Amino acid sequence: MAAPRYSAPVLWVRGTSPVLKSLFTLDSKPFCSTAAASRPLSAQQLAEKLRAQKREQKTKKQPVPTTPVQRRVQELVRFTQQLQRVHPNVLAKALSRGILHQDKDLVVINKPYGLPVHGGPGVQLCISEVLPILAKMFHGHKAEPLHLCHRLDKETTGVMVLAWEKEVAHQVQELFRTRQVEKKYWAVTVRVPVPSAGVVDIPIIEKEVQGQQQHHKMTLCPSYRMDNGKMVKVRTSRNAQIAVTQYQVLSSTVSSALVELHPVTGIKHQLRVHLSFGLDCPVLGDHKYSDWNRLAPQVPARPGPNTPVAARVLPTTEGFPLPLMGREGGGRAEGRQKAFTLAFLACTLE
């Protein structure tokens, strides 16, 4: 007579993702299996299992893009992933081809999208790691590494300033700290700001958004309100921070605009908040600040059937070249004391 076989209970998870189902579904196995198989997974084993499942999901066939925008986005994602896997020498050579300005004190490069400045968890390659290689490409094998003067977010592309000497890097960092650096951003907005140029001077505060997707956002905290057609000054919160942004429309279509932004102050998410909540023209692709109550993909207004074809395209940058950074005349010390003019082209946002 054969020995009885007993099966382990099966736990099913309803309404969860396939990843969670695979973690919580126990296969029916006889108790006579090895003791190791019946033990719960350790933290390391669970992490390895999750990584393997993520790798499997990534290898699944991606949908074929059908529009030029989708193809461009796919190319950008692929390029970003490649930057994380190339050899440091390859990355340094790519950065050297994007030199915007170079003199005996500074080197100004164009930081690519998706490339972090500093290392961290999950970061395979970053700009700070290739600075010694980049310096050797210019000054030979005995060259000292270049020094970072500031940072940019991983998802931001634009001007990045490097210094040959640590003393010069500290001087540039002090200019940033004391707000003697003039920063200019270019952003494509949904809708066209009215008026076409002006100053947004509205304090900003961080608040919690209630609802199903509870989260925090920066928002406006006006010092004035309208009362029976009259503007009345109100008492602002002590946590509100003064925020001032100058803006100018450089080019526009019926439904979008290329806007130049000059942040006079440096408050968190200032430009995004002033554009979206102050001018009702969120940055194209800014899903976080396109709607106050929820976190959802931005849905730009679709052009109507009577909209001219020329008005359906994005605004052009023709006639508005990206200015390079330079030092005005004078001696070496005098030039450093003057404000550097940097132009940051913010292609994507965090």
Side-chain angles (χ1 to χ4, degrees):
M1 179 176 174
R5 294 170 62 88
Y6 300 95
S7 297
V10 178
L11 175 63
W12 296 97
V13 180
R14 182 183 294 275
T16 56
S17 64
V19 176
L20 290 177
K21 283 184 179 179
S22 63
L23 289 178
F24 287 99
T25 303
L26 306 177
D27 295 331
S28 298
K29 293 181 180 180
F31 278 117
C32 60
S33 59
T34 60
S38 62
R39 290 200 207 102
L41 294 176
S42 65
Q44 181 178 357
Q45 291 171 331
L46 185 60
E48 291 175 353
K49 187 173 183 179
L50 284 172
R51 292 193 191 102
Q53 291 170 349
K54 286 183 179 179
R55 285 194 297 268
E56 184 179 351
Q57 290 179 352
K58 288 182 179 179
T59 55
K60 290 181 179 178
K61 189 175 181 180
Q62 298 293 332
V64 179
T66 57
T67 65
V69 174
Q70 292 176 349
R71 286 193 289 270
R72 179 58 183 147
V73 170
Q74 193 175 77
E75 291 173 4
L76 192 60
V77 172
R78 190 183 303 114
F79 175 70
T80 302
Q81 295 171 347
Q82 290 174 350
L83 282 178
Q84 293 289 310
R85 294 193 295 264
V86 300
H87 190 275
N89 289 348
V90 177
L91 177 59
K93 185 174 292 187
L95 293 177
S96 67
R97 289 196 293 263
I99 296 294
L100 302 177
H101 173 82
Q102 182 182 0
D103 57 30
K104 59 183 178 181
D105 295 322
L106 302 173
V107 175
V108 183
I109 63 174
N110 181 24
K111 190 190 90 63
Y113 166 81
L115 185 64
V117 176
H118 300 285
V123 175
Q124 301 175 359
L125 193 59
C126 60
I127 287 182
S128 60
E129 292 181 8
V130 300
L131 292 183
I133 303 174
L134 193 61
K136 291 177 182 178
M137 287 182 174
F138 292 108
H139 289 176
H141 291 285
K142 295 184 179 180
E144 293 292 326
L146 285 158
H147 302 275
L148 291 169
C149 296
H150 62 102
R151 62 178 297 275
L152 286 178
D153 291 337
K154 174 182 176 182
E155 293 83 7
T156 300
T157 179
V159 173
M160 184 126 213
V161 184
L162 311 173
W164 287 110
E165 299 177 7
K166 187 175 292 186
E167 178 187 355
V168 176
H170 288 162
Q171 291 178 1
V172 177
Q173 290 166 3
E174 182 65 15
L175 291 176
F176 273 94
R177 191 187 68 81
T178 56
R179 303 202 179 281
Q180 297 183 59
V181 175
E182 182 183 357
K183 302 177 184 178
K184 291 183 180 180
Y185 295 77
W186 284 2
V188 177
T189 62
V190 179
R191 295 181 290 276
V192 183
V194 177
S196 59
V199 177
V200 182
D201 185 358
I202 307 177
I204 290 177
I205 190 172
E206 186 170 17
K207 288 187 177 180
E208 184 177 7
V209 180
Q210 302 294 336
Q212 295 181 348
Q213 297 173 305
Q214 194 170 355
H215 59 285
H216 287 80
K217 279 182 182 176
M218 307 299 288
T219 187
L220 301 178
C221 185
S223 304
Y224 296 86
R225 64 179 176 86
M226 297 300 294
D227 187 5
N228 294 327
K230 296 181 180 180
M231 188 174 293
V232 181
K233 187 174 177 61
V234 297
R235 185 177 179 180
T236 57
S237 170
R238 65 178 63 184
N239 295 324
Q241 304 178 77
I242 296 175
V244 182
T245 302
Q246 296 177 356
Y247 73 93
Q248 179 182 1
V249 176
L250 302 180
S251 177
S252 65
T253 67
V254 172
S255 59
S256 61
L258 174 66
V259 184
E260 182 178 271
L261 302 160
H262 173 208
V264 180
T265 55
I267 307 304
K268 177 183 176 183
H269 298 173
Q270 171 182 322
L271 302 181
R272 300 162 67 183
V273 173
H274 276 172
L275 281 173
S276 183
F277 301 148
L279 296 170
D280 193 29
C281 298
V283 176
L284 181 65
D286 188 359
H287 310 302
K288 182 171 184 176
Y289 286 101
S290 293
D291 190 287
W292 168 252
N293 294 317
R294 61 194 181 100
L295 289 172
Q298 184 185 74
V299 183
R302 294 179 178 273
N306 297 325
T307 304
V309 176
R312 301 186 188 189
V313 299
L314 291 176
T316 177
T317 59
E318 185 178 356
F320 302 101
L322 187 66
L324 303 184
M325 181 192 125
R327 292 190 303 168
E328 300 178 8
R332 180 173 178 179
E334 178 186 354
R336 289 204 201 104
Q337 295 301 320
K338 296 186 178 181
F340 292 95
T341 301
L342 305 179
F344 293 92
L345 178 58
C347 288
T348 56
L349 296 159
E350 58 185 344

